[in-house]
Amino acid sequence: MAPSDAGLEARRLEGEARAAREKIRAFEERYGMSSREFLGRFLRGELGDEQDFIEWWGELVFLEEAERGLEELRRAERGGEKERG
C-alpha cells in the first residue's frame, strides 16, 4: 500500500473507530453497564436478542476490527521505517 493510501486508510479506520466508540458509550449509558459486563451477559444468553443488544455487540466487533486494522497499518509503517532507516 502506498504511503498516501495507508494514510487515507488510517484516517478512515480512525473515523469508524471513533463513531463506534460513541455508539458504544451511548449503549453503556442507556443500559447502565460497561461493555465488558454487557458482552459477558450477552454471550451467556442472559439479555435476549433485543435489537439494541445485537447492535451493541456489532459495534464492539466493528471497533475491534477497526483497531486491528489500525494496528496492522502501524506495524507495516514501522516495518517500512526499518527498511528505509
Side-chain angles (χ1 to χ4, degrees):
M1 186 177 295
S4 60
D5 292 343
L8 287 173
E9 179 67 2
R11 283 192 294 282
R12 182 186 69 79
L13 289 170
E14 287 166 354
E16 290 177 355
R18 187 172 30 260
R21 282 188 202 99
E22 290 173 11
K23 292 174 186 175
I24 289 166
R25 189 174 15 251
F27 283 125
E28 289 174 337
E29 290 175 8
R30 183 178 312 145
Y31 291 98
M33 71 177 108
S34 69
S35 287
R36 180 176 292 221
E37 179 184 355
F38 158 75
L39 192 56
R41 293 180 66 191
F42 181 74
L43 293 175
R44 287 190 301 272
E46 296 174 7
L47 298 175
D49 59 358
E50 189 173 318
Q51 184 66 32
D52 270 1
F53 297 146
I54 293 168
E55 288 179 23
W56 190 351
W57 175 80
E59 291 299 333
L60 290 168
V61 169
F62 190 75
L63 177 59
E64 183 178 314
E65 290 173 357
E67 289 176 340
R68 186 178 314 120
L70 282 166
E71 182 56 34
E72 289 173 9
L73 285 172
R74 289 182 189 118
R75 218 181 351 244
E77 185 177 276
R78 286 192 301 266
E81 288 173 1
K82 289 180 184 176
E83 290 174 12
R84 288 188 298 269

